[in-house]
Coordinates of all heavy atoms in Angstrom, one line a residue:
M1 N 0.8 -1.2 0.0 CA 0.0 0.0 0.0 C 0.9 1.2 0.0 O 1.8 1.3 0.7 CB -1.0 0.1 1.3 CG -2.0 1.1 1.2 SD -3.1 0.9 2.6 CE -3.9 -0.6 2.3
K2 N 0.6 2.1 -0.9 CA 1.4 3.4 -1.0 C 0.5 4.6 -0.6 O -0.6 4.8 -1.2 CB 1.9 3.6 -2.4 CG 2.8 4.7 -2.5 CD 3.5 4.7 -3.8 CE 4.5 6.0 -3.8 NZ 5.0 6.0 -5.1
I3 N 0.9 5.3 0.4 CA 0.2 6.5 0.8 C 0.8 7.8 0.2 O 2.0 7.8 -0.2 CB 0.0 6.6 2.4 CG1 1.4 6.6 2.9 CG2 -0.7 5.3 2.9 CD1 1.4 6.9 4.4
V4 N 0.0 8.9 0.2 CA 0.5 10.2 -0.4 C 1.5 10.8 0.7 O 1.5 10.4 1.9 CB -0.7 11.1 -0.6 CG1 -1.6 10.6 -1.7 CG2 -1.5 11.4 0.6
S5 N 2.2 11.6 0.3 CA 3.2 12.3 1.1 C 2.3 13.2 2.0 O 1.3 13.7 1.7 CB 4.2 13.1 0.4 OG 3.5 14.2 -0.3
D6 N 2.8 13.3 3.3 CA 2.0 14.1 4.4 C 0.6 13.5 4.6 O -0.3 14.3 4.8 CB 2.0 15.6 3.9 CG 1.8 16.5 5.1 OD1 2.2 16.0 6.2 OD2 1.3 17.6 5.0
F7 N 0.5 12.2 4.5 CA -0.7 11.4 4.7 C -1.4 11.9 6.0 O -2.7 12.1 6.1 CB -0.4 10.0 4.7 CG -1.6 9.1 5.1 CD1 -2.6 8.7 4.3 CD2 -1.8 8.6 6.5 CE1 -3.7 8.1 4.6 CE2 -2.9 7.8 6.8 CZ -3.8 7.6 5.9
F8 N -0.7 11.9 7.1 CA -1.2 12.0 8.5 C -1.9 13.5 8.6 O -3.1 13.6 8.9 CB -0.2 12.0 9.5 CG -0.6 12.4 10.8 CD1 -1.4 11.5 11.7 CD2 -0.4 13.6 11.4 CE1 -1.8 11.8 12.9 CE2 -0.9 14.0 12.6 CZ -1.6 13.1 13.3
N9 N -1.3 14.5 8.1 CA -1.7 15.8 8.1 C -3.0 16.1 7.2 O -4.0 16.7 7.5 CB -0.8 16.9 7.9 CG 0.2 17.0 8.9 OD1 -0.1 16.8 10.2 ND2 1.5 17.3 8.6
K10 N -2.9 15.5 5.9 CA -3.9 15.6 5.0 C -5.2 14.8 5.5 O -6.3 15.5 5.4 CB -3.5 15.2 3.6 CG -2.5 16.0 3.0 CD -2.1 15.5 1.7 CE -1.0 16.3 1.0 NZ -0.5 15.7 -0.2
L11 N -5.0 13.7 6.0 CA -6.2 12.9 6.5 C -6.9 13.5 7.7 O -8.1 13.7 7.7 CB -5.9 11.4 6.8 CG -7.0 10.7 7.3 CD1 -8.1 10.4 6.3 CD2 -6.5 9.2 7.7
C12 N -6.0 13.8 8.7 CA -6.6 14.5 9.9 C -7.2 15.9 9.6 O -8.2 16.2 10.2 CB -5.5 14.6 11.0 SG -4.9 13.0 11.6
G13 N -6.7 16.6 8.7 CA -7.2 17.9 8.3 C -8.6 17.7 7.8 O -9.5 18.3 8.1
E14 N -8.7 16.8 6.8 CA -10.0 16.6 6.2 C -11.1 16.0 7.1 O -12.3 16.4 7.1 CB -9.9 15.6 5.0 CG -11.1 15.4 4.2 CD -10.9 14.7 2.9 OE1 -9.9 14.5 2.4 OE2 -12.0 14.3 2.3
L15 N -10.6 15.0 8.0 CA -11.6 14.4 8.9 C -12.1 15.6 9.9 O -13.2 15.6 10.4 CB -11.0 13.2 9.6 CG -10.9 12.0 8.7 CD1 -10.2 10.9 9.4 CD2 -12.3 11.5 8.1
G16 N -11.1 16.4 10.4 CA -11.3 17.4 11.4 C -12.3 18.4 10.8 O -13.3 18.7 11.5
K17 N -12.2 18.8 9.5 CA -13.1 19.8 9.0 C -14.5 19.3 8.8 O -15.4 20.0 9.0 CB -12.5 20.2 7.7 CG -11.5 21.2 7.7 CD -10.9 21.5 6.3 CE -9.5 22.3 6.4 NZ -9.0 22.3 5.1
K18 N -14.6 17.9 8.4 CA -15.9 17.4 8.3 C -16.6 17.0 9.5 O -17.8 17.2 9.7 CB -15.8 16.2 7.3 CG -17.1 15.5 6.9 CD -17.0 14.5 5.9 CE -18.4 13.9 5.7 NZ -18.6 13.3 4.5
Y19 N -15.9 16.3 10.5 CA -16.5 15.7 11.6 C -16.4 16.6 12.9 O -17.2 16.4 13.9 CB -16.1 14.3 11.9 CG -16.3 13.4 10.7 CD1 -15.5 13.0 9.8 CD2 -17.7 12.9 10.6 CE1 -15.8 12.1 8.8 CE2 -18.1 12.1 9.5 CZ -17.1 11.7 8.6 OH -17.5 10.8 7.6
F20 N -15.4 17.4 12.9 CA -15.1 18.2 14.2 C -14.9 19.6 13.9 O -13.9 20.2 14.2 CB -14.0 17.7 15.0 CG -14.0 16.1 15.1 CD1 -13.3 15.2 14.4 CD2 -14.8 15.6 16.1 CE1 -13.4 13.9 14.5 CE2 -15.0 14.3 16.3 CZ -14.3 13.3 15.6
P21 N -15.8 20.2 13.0 CA -15.6 21.7 12.7 C -15.5 22.8 13.8 O -14.8 23.7 13.6 CB -16.8 21.9 11.7 CG -17.8 21.1 12.3 CD -17.2 19.8 12.7
D22 N -16.1 22.4 15.0 CA -16.0 23.4 16.0 C -14.9 23.3 17.0 O -14.8 24.0 17.9 CB -17.3 23.3 16.9 CG -18.6 23.7 16.0 OD1 -18.4 24.4 15.0 OD2 -19.7 23.1 16.1
V23 N -14.1 22.1 16.8 CA -13.0 21.8 17.7 C -11.7 22.6 17.3 O -11.3 22.4 16.1 CB -12.7 20.3 17.7 CG1 -11.5 20.0 18.6 CG2 -13.9 19.6 18.3
K24 N -11.3 23.6 18.1 CA -10.2 24.3 17.6 C -8.8 23.4 17.8 O -8.0 23.6 16.9 CB -10.0 25.5 18.5 CG -9.0 26.5 18.2 CD -9.1 27.7 19.0 CE -8.0 28.7 18.4 NZ -8.3 30.1 18.9
Y25 N -8.7 22.7 18.9 CA -7.5 22.0 19.1 C -7.9 20.5 19.4 O -8.8 20.4 20.2 CB -6.7 22.5 20.2 CG -5.4 21.8 20.6 CD1 -4.4 21.8 19.6 CD2 -5.2 21.1 21.7 CE1 -3.2 21.1 19.9 CE2 -4.0 20.4 21.9 CZ -3.0 20.4 21.0 OH -1.8 19.7 21.3
Y26 N -7.5 19.5 18.5 CA -7.9 18.2 18.6 C -7.9 17.6 20.0 O -8.7 16.7 20.2 CB -7.2 17.4 17.7 CG -5.8 16.9 18.0 CD1 -5.7 15.6 18.7 CD2 -4.7 17.5 17.8 CE1 -4.4 15.2 19.0 CE2 -3.4 17.2 18.0 CZ -3.3 15.9 18.8 OH -2.0 15.5 19.2
R27 N -7.0 18.0 20.8 CA -6.9 17.4 22.2 C -8.1 17.8 23.1 O -8.3 17.3 24.1 CB -5.7 17.9 23.0 CG -4.3 17.2 22.3 CD -4.2 15.8 22.9 NE -3.0 15.4 22.5 CZ -2.5 14.1 22.8 NH1 -3.3 13.3 23.6 NH2 -1.4 13.6 22.5
D28 N -8.9 18.7 22.5 CA -10.1 19.2 23.4 C -11.3 18.3 23.3 O -12.3 18.5 24.0 CB -10.5 20.7 22.9 CG -9.5 21.7 23.2 OD1 -8.7 21.5 24.2 OD2 -9.4 22.8 22.6
N29 N -11.2 17.4 22.3 CA -12.3 16.5 22.0 C -11.8 15.1 21.9 O -10.9 14.7 21.3 CB -13.0 16.9 20.6 CG -14.1 16.0 20.3 OD1 -14.0 14.9 20.0 ND2 -15.3 16.6 20.3
D30 N -12.3 14.1 22.8 CA -11.8 12.8 22.9 C -11.9 12.0 21.6 O -11.0 11.4 21.2 CB -12.8 11.9 23.9 CG -12.4 12.4 25.4 OD1 -11.3 13.0 25.5 OD2 -13.2 12.1 26.2
N31 N -13.0 12.2 20.8 CA -13.1 11.5 19.4 C -12.1 12.1 18.4 O -11.5 11.3 17.6 CB -14.5 11.6 18.9 CG -15.4 10.7 19.6 OD1 -15.0 9.6 20.2 ND2 -16.6 11.1 19.8
A32 N -11.8 13.5 18.4 CA -10.8 14.0 17.6 C -9.4 13.4 17.9 O -8.6 13.2 17.1 CB -10.8 15.5 17.7
T33 N -9.2 13.3 19.2 CA -7.9 12.9 19.6 C -7.8 11.3 19.1 O -6.7 10.8 18.7 CB -7.9 12.7 21.1 OG1 -8.0 14.2 21.6 CG2 -6.5 12.1 21.7
K34 N -8.9 10.4 19.2 CA -8.8 9.2 18.8 C -8.5 9.0 17.2 O -7.9 8.3 16.7 CB -10.1 8.4 19.1 CG -10.3 8.2 20.5 CD -11.7 7.6 20.8 CE -11.9 7.5 22.3 NZ -13.2 7.0 22.6
V35 N -9.1 10.0 16.4 CA -8.9 10.1 14.9 C -7.3 10.2 14.7 O -6.7 9.5 14.0 CB -9.6 11.1 14.3 CG1 -9.2 11.5 12.9 CG2 -11.2 10.8 14.3
H36 N -6.8 11.3 15.5 CA -5.4 11.5 15.2 C -4.5 10.3 15.7 O -3.5 10.0 15.0 CB -5.0 12.8 16.1 CG -5.3 14.1 15.3 ND1 -6.6 14.6 15.3 CD2 -4.5 14.9 14.8 CE1 -6.6 15.6 14.7 NE2 -5.4 16.0 14.3
Y37 N -4.8 9.7 16.8 CA -4.1 8.6 17.2 C -4.2 7.4 16.3 O -3.1 6.8 16.0 CB -4.5 8.1 18.6 CG -3.7 7.0 19.3 CD1 -2.4 7.2 19.6 CD2 -4.3 5.8 19.6 CE1 -1.6 6.2 20.1 CE2 -3.4 4.8 20.2 CZ -2.1 5.1 20.3 OH -1.3 4.1 20.9
A38 N -5.4 7.1 15.8 CA -5.4 6.0 14.8 C -4.8 6.4 13.4 O -4.0 5.5 12.9 CB -7.0 5.7 14.5
A39 N -4.8 7.6 13.0 CA -4.1 7.9 11.8 C -2.6 7.9 12.0 O -1.9 7.3 11.1 CB -4.5 9.3 11.4
E40 N -2.1 8.2 13.2 CA -0.6 8.1 13.5 C -0.2 6.6 13.5 O 0.9 6.4 13.0 CB -0.4 8.7 14.8 CG 1.1 8.8 15.2 CD 1.4 9.5 16.6 OE1 0.4 10.0 17.2 OE2 2.5 9.6 16.9
L41 N -1.0 5.8 14.2 CA -0.6 4.4 14.2 C -0.5 3.8 12.8 O 0.4 3.1 12.5 CB -1.7 3.6 15.0 CG -1.5 3.9 16.6 CD1 -2.7 3.0 17.3 CD2 -0.2 3.4 17.1
F42 N -1.6 4.1 11.9 CA -1.5 3.5 10.7 C -0.4 4.1 9.8 O 0.3 3.4 9.2 CB -2.9 3.9 9.9 CG -2.8 3.5 8.4 CD1 -3.1 2.1 8.1 CD2 -2.7 4.4 7.4 CE1 -3.1 1.7 6.9 CE2 -2.7 3.9 6.1 CZ -2.9 2.6 5.8
N43 N -0.1 5.4 10.0 CA 0.9 6.0 9.3 C 2.4 5.5 9.7 O 3.2 5.4 8.8 CB 1.1 7.6 9.5 CG 1.9 8.4 8.6 OD1 1.8 8.2 7.4 ND2 2.7 9.4 9.1
N44 N 2.5 5.0 10.9 CA 3.7 4.4 11.4 C 3.8 2.9 11.1 O 4.7 2.3 11.5 CB 3.9 4.7 12.8 CG 4.1 6.2 13.1 OD1 4.6 6.9 12.2 ND2 3.9 6.7 14.3
G45 N 2.8 2.3 10.5 CA 2.8 0.9 10.3 C 2.3 0.0 11.4 O 2.6 -1.2 11.4
C46 N 1.7 0.6 12.4 CA 1.3 -0.2 13.5 C 0.0 -0.6 13.6 O -0.6 -1.3 14.4 CB 1.6 0.7 14.9 SG 3.3 1.1 15.1
L47 N -0.9 -0.2 12.4 CA -2.3 -0.6 12.5 C -2.6 -0.9 11.0 O -2.1 -0.3 10.1 CB -3.0 0.7 12.8 CG -4.5 0.6 13.3 CD1 -4.7 -0.2 14.6 CD2 -5.1 2.0 13.5
T48 N -3.4 -1.9 10.8 CA -3.8 -2.4 9.5 C -4.9 -1.5 9.0 O -5.5 -0.8 9.7 CB -4.4 -3.8 9.4 OG1 -5.6 -3.8 10.2 CG2 -3.3 -4.9 10.0
Y49 N -5.2 -1.5 7.6 CA -6.2 -0.6 7.1 C -7.5 -0.8 7.6 O -8.2 0.0 7.9 CB -6.1 -0.7 5.4 CG -6.9 0.2 4.7 CD1 -6.5 1.5 4.6 CD2 -8.2 -0.1 4.2 CE1 -7.4 2.5 4.0 CE2 -9.0 0.8 3.7 CZ -8.6 2.2 3.5 OH -9.3 3.0 2.8
P50 N -8.0 -2.2 7.6 CA -9.3 -2.4 8.1 C -9.5 -1.8 9.6 O -10.6 -1.4 9.9 CB -9.4 -3.9 8.1 CG -8.5 -4.3 7.0 CD -7.3 -3.4 7.1
K51 N -8.4 -2.0 10.4 CA -8.5 -1.5 11.8 C -8.6 0.0 11.8 O -9.3 0.6 12.6 CB -7.3 -2.0 12.6 CG -7.4 -3.4 13.1 CD -8.5 -3.5 14.1 CE -8.4 -4.9 14.7 NZ -9.6 -5.0 15.8
L52 N -7.8 0.7 10.9 CA -7.9 2.0 10.8 C -9.3 2.5 10.4 O -9.8 3.4 11.2 CB -6.9 2.5 9.6 CG -7.0 4.0 9.3 CD1 -6.7 5.0 10.4 CD2 -6.3 4.4 8.0
I53 N -9.9 1.9 9.5 CA -11.3 2.3 9.0 C -12.2 2.0 10.2 O -13.1 2.8 10.5 CB -11.8 1.5 7.8 CG1 -10.8 1.9 6.7 CG2 -13.2 1.7 7.5 CD1 -10.8 3.3 6.3
Q54 N -12.1 1.0 11.0 CA -13.1 0.6 12.1 C -12.9 1.8 13.2 O -13.8 2.3 13.7 CB -12.6 -0.7 12.7 CG -13.3 -1.0 14.0 CD -14.8 -1.1 13.8 OE1 -15.3 -1.5 12.8 NE2 -15.5 -0.7 14.9
R55 N -11.7 2.1 13.6 CA -11.5 3.1 14.6 C -11.9 4.5 14.1 O -12.6 5.2 15.0 CB -10.0 3.2 15.0 CG -9.5 2.0 15.7 CD -8.1 2.2 16.2 NE -7.6 1.0 17.0 CZ -6.6 1.1 17.8 NH1 -5.8 2.3 17.9 NH2 -6.1 0.0 18.4
L56 N -11.7 4.8 12.9 CA -12.1 6.1 12.4 C -13.6 6.2 12.4 O -14.3 7.1 12.7 CB -11.5 6.5 11.1 CG -9.9 6.7 11.1 CD1 -9.6 6.9 9.6 CD2 -9.5 7.7 12.0
S57 N -14.2 5.1 12.1 CA -15.7 4.9 11.8 C -16.3 5.2 13.2 O -17.3 5.9 13.3 CB -16.1 3.6 11.3 OG -17.5 3.4 11.3
V58 N -15.7 4.6 14.3 CA -16.3 4.7 15.6 C -16.1 6.2 16.1 O -17.0 6.8 16.7 CB -15.6 3.7 16.5 CG1 -16.1 4.0 18.0 CG2 -16.1 2.3 16.1
A59 N -14.9 6.7 15.9 CA -14.6 8.0 16.5 C -15.4 9.0 15.7 O -15.8 10.1 16.3 CB -13.1 8.3 16.3
C60 N -15.6 9.0 14.5 CA -16.4 9.9 13.7 C -17.9 9.7 13.7 O -18.6 10.7 13.3 CB -15.9 10.0 12.2 SG -14.2 10.5 12.0
G61 N -18.3 8.6 14.2 CA -19.7 8.3 14.1 C -20.3 8.2 12.8 O -21.4 8.6 12.5
D62 N -19.5 7.6 11.8 CA -20.1 7.4 10.5 C -19.8 6.0 10.0 O -19.2 5.2 10.7 CB -19.3 8.5 9.5 CG -20.1 8.7 8.3 OD1 -21.1 8.1 8.0 OD2 -19.6 9.7 7.5
T63 N -20.2 5.6 8.9 CA -20.2 4.2 8.3 C -18.7 4.1 7.8 O -18.0 4.9 7.5 CB -21.2 4.0 7.2 OG1 -20.8 4.8 6.1 CG2 -22.7 4.2 7.7
K64 N -18.5 2.8 7.8 CA -17.2 2.4 7.3 C -16.9 2.8 5.8 O -15.8 3.1 5.4 CB -16.8 1.0 7.5 CG -16.8 0.4 8.9 CD -16.6 -1.0 9.1 CE -16.6 -1.6 10.5 NZ -16.5 -3.0 10.6
E65 N -18.1 2.6 5.1 CA -18.0 2.9 3.7 C -17.7 4.4 3.5 O -16.8 4.7 2.6 CB -19.3 2.7 3.0 CG -19.7 1.3 2.9 CD -20.4 0.7 4.3 OE1 -20.6 1.5 5.2 OE2 -20.5 -0.6 4.3
N66 N -18.3 5.3 4.2 CA -18.0 6.8 4.1 C -16.6 7.1 4.5 O -15.8 8.0 3.9 CB -18.9 7.5 4.9 CG -20.3 7.5 4.3 OD1 -20.5 7.2 3.1 ND2 -21.4 7.8 5.1
I67 N -16.0 6.5 5.5 CA -14.7 6.7 6.1 C -13.8 6.2 5.0 O -12.7 6.9 4.7 CB -14.6 6.0 7.4 CG1 -15.5 6.7 8.5 CG2 -13.1 6.2 7.9 CD1 -15.2 8.2 8.7
H68 N -14.0 5.0 4.5 CA -13.1 4.4 3.3 C -13.0 5.4 2.2 O -12.0 5.6 1.7 CB -13.7 3.1 3.0 CG -13.0 2.5 1.8 ND1 -11.6 2.1 1.8 CD2 -13.4 2.3 0.5 CE1 -11.4 1.7 0.6 NE2 -12.4 1.8 -0.2
N69 N -14.1 6.0 1.9 CA -14.2 7.0 0.7 C -13.3 8.1 0.9 O -12.5 8.6 0.1 CB -15.6 7.4 0.3 CG -16.3 6.2 -0.3 OD1 -15.8 5.2 -1.0 ND2 -17.7 6.2 -0.1
I70 N -13.2 8.5 2.2 CA -12.3 9.7 2.6 C -11.0 9.3 2.6 O -10.1 9.9 2.0 CB -12.8 10.4 3.9 CG1 -14.2 10.9 3.7 CG2 -11.8 11.3 4.3 CD1 -14.9 11.4 5.1
V71 N -10.7 8.2 3.3 CA -9.3 7.8 3.5 C -8.7 7.4 2.1 O -7.4 7.7 1.8 CB -9.1 6.6 4.4 CG1 -7.9 6.1 4.6 CG2 -9.7 7.0 5.9
S72 N -9.5 6.7 1.2 CA -8.9 6.3 0.0 C -8.4 7.3 -0.9 O -7.6 7.1 -1.8 CB -9.9 5.3 -0.7 OG -11.0 6.1 -1.1
K73 N -8.9 8.6 -0.7 CA -8.3 9.7 -1.5 C -6.9 10.0 -1.1 O -6.3 10.6 -2.0 CB -9.2 11.0 -1.1 CG -10.6 10.9 -1.8 CD -11.3 12.3 -1.5 CE -12.1 12.3 -0.3 NZ -12.9 13.6 -0.1
H74 N -6.4 9.5 0.0 CA -5.1 9.8 0.4 C -4.2 8.6 0.3 O -3.2 8.6 0.8 CB -5.1 10.2 1.8 CG -6.0 11.5 2.1 ND1 -5.6 12.6 1.6 CD2 -7.3 11.6 2.6 CE1 -6.6 13.5 1.8 NE2 -7.5 12.9 2.6
I75 N -4.7 7.6 -0.5 CA -3.8 6.4 -0.8 C -3.5 6.4 -2.2 O -4.5 6.4 -3.0 CB -4.6 5.1 -0.4 CG1 -5.1 5.1 1.0 CG2 -3.9 3.8 -0.7 CD1 -4.2 4.7 2.1
E76 N -2.3 6.3 -2.6 CA -1.9 6.4 -3.9 C -2.1 5.1 -4.6 O -2.7 4.9 -5.7 CB -0.5 6.8 -4.2 CG -0.2 8.2 -3.9 CD 1.3 8.5 -4.1 OE1 2.0 7.7 -4.8 OE2 1.6 9.7 -3.9
S77 N -1.8 4.0 -3.9 CA -2.0 2.6 -4.5 C -2.3 1.6 -3.4 O -1.6 1.7 -2.4 CB -0.8 2.2 -5.2 OG -0.8 0.9 -5.6
F78 N -3.3 0.8 -3.6 CA -3.7 -0.3 -2.6 C -2.9 -1.5 -2.9 O -2.9 -2.5 -2.2 CB -5.2 -0.6 -2.6 CG -5.9 0.4 -1.9 CD1 -6.6 1.4 -2.6 CD2 -6.1 0.3 -0.5 CE1 -7.4 2.3 -1.8 CE2 -6.8 1.1 0.2 CZ -7.5 2.2 -0.4
G79 N -2.2 -1.6 -4.1 CA -1.4 -2.8 -4.4 C -2.3 -3.9 -4.6 O -3.4 -3.8 -5.3
D80 N -2.1 -5.0 -4.0 CA -2.9 -6.2 -4.1 C -4.1 -6.3 -3.2 O -4.9 -7.1 -3.2 CB -2.0 -7.6 -3.9 CG -1.1 -7.7 -5.0 OD1 -1.2 -7.2 -6.2 OD2 -0.1 -8.4 -4.7
F81 N -4.1 -5.3 -2.3 CA -5.1 -5.3 -1.1 C -6.4 -4.7 -1.8 O -6.5 -3.8 -2.5 CB -4.6 -4.4 -0.1 CG -5.6 -4.2 1.0 CD1 -5.7 -5.2 2.0 CD2 -6.4 -3.0 1.2 CE1 -6.6 -5.0 3.1 CE2 -7.3 -2.9 2.2 CZ -7.4 -3.9 3.2
E82 N -7.5 -5.3 -1.3 CA -8.8 -5.0 -1.7 C -9.7 -4.9 -0.3 O -9.7 -5.9 0.3 CB -9.5 -5.9 -2.6 CG -9.0 -5.9 -4.0 CD -9.8 -6.8 -4.9 OE1 -11.0 -6.9 -4.7 OE2 -9.2 -7.3 -5.9
Y83 N -10.2 -3.7 0.0 CA -10.9 -3.5 1.2 C -12.5 -3.7 0.9 O -13.0 -3.1 -0.1 CB -10.8 -2.0 1.7 CG -11.6 -1.7 2.9 CD1 -11.3 -2.4 4.2 CD2 -12.7 -0.9 2.8 CE1 -12.0 -2.1 5.1 CE2 -13.4 -0.7 4.0 CZ -13.0 -1.3 5.2 OH -13.8 -1.1 6.3
S84 N -13.1 -4.5 1.7 CA -14.5 -4.7 1.7 C -15.1 -4.5 3.0 O -14.9 -5.3 3.9 CB -14.9 -6.1 1.1 OG -14.3 -7.1 2.0
P85 N -15.8 -3.3 3.3 CA -16.4 -3.0 4.5 C -17.4 -4.1 5.0 O -18.2 -4.6 4.1 CB -17.1 -1.8 4.4 CG -16.7 -1.3 3.1 CD -16.0 -2.3 2.3
K86 N -17.4 -4.6 6.2 CA -18.3 -5.7 6.7 C -19.4 -5.1 7.4 O -19.3 -4.0 8.0 CB -17.5 -6.6 7.6 CG -16.5 -7.4 6.8 CD -15.8 -8.2 7.9 CE -14.6 -8.9 7.1 NZ -13.7 -9.7 8.0

């Protein structure tokens, strides 16, 4: 899987604007903090893609399909991997 450069900042910025528009600093909101932590773990290779989508889905309160559509914009290539939300 190949991610875009600056994946963490781009993904967190987009999710923050959409799901937490009133939060000025992400540490002020528990769910915004969980989004940043999950993105950081994935960016560092400590979290699989399905687990990332699961955690972001719960933290953002949205479906896995919608979260996958947002995250996939920041993935250059999935390689042989195919994601299918359950």
Side-chain angles (χ1 to χ4, degrees):
M1 187 175 294
K2 185 175 180 184
I3 58 177
V4 298
S5 65
D6 206 19
F7 170 82
F8 175 80
N9 290 328
K10 289 178 181 177
L11 177 62
C12 289
E14 185 171 349
L15 292 173
K17 286 178 190 170
K18 181 168 181 159
Y19 296 103
F20 310 103
D22 298 331
V23 177
K24 185 170 184 168
Y25 182 63
Y26 78 93
R27 290 273 189 187
D28 294 340
N29 181 289
D30 287 340
N31 286 327
T33 302
K34 290 176 185 177
V35 165
H36 279 74
Y37 185 61
E40 182 179 1
L41 287 176
F42 177 77
N43 195 47
N44 292 335
C46 300
L47 201 63
T48 64
Y49 188 78
K51 283 288 189 184
L52 170 69
I53 298 300
Q54 171 64 34
R55 287 187 181 194
L56 294 178
S57 173
V58 170
C60 293
D62 203 349
T63 64
K64 292 180 186 178
E65 293 84 5
N66 290 341
I67 298 297
H68 168 66
N69 289 334
I70 294 169
V71 175
S72 64
K73 289 189 263 182
H74 304 288
I75 306 280
E76 285 184 10
S77 170
F78 280 97
D80 295 337
F81 179 77
E82 287 187 31
Y83 178 72
S84 59
K86 296 177 185 174

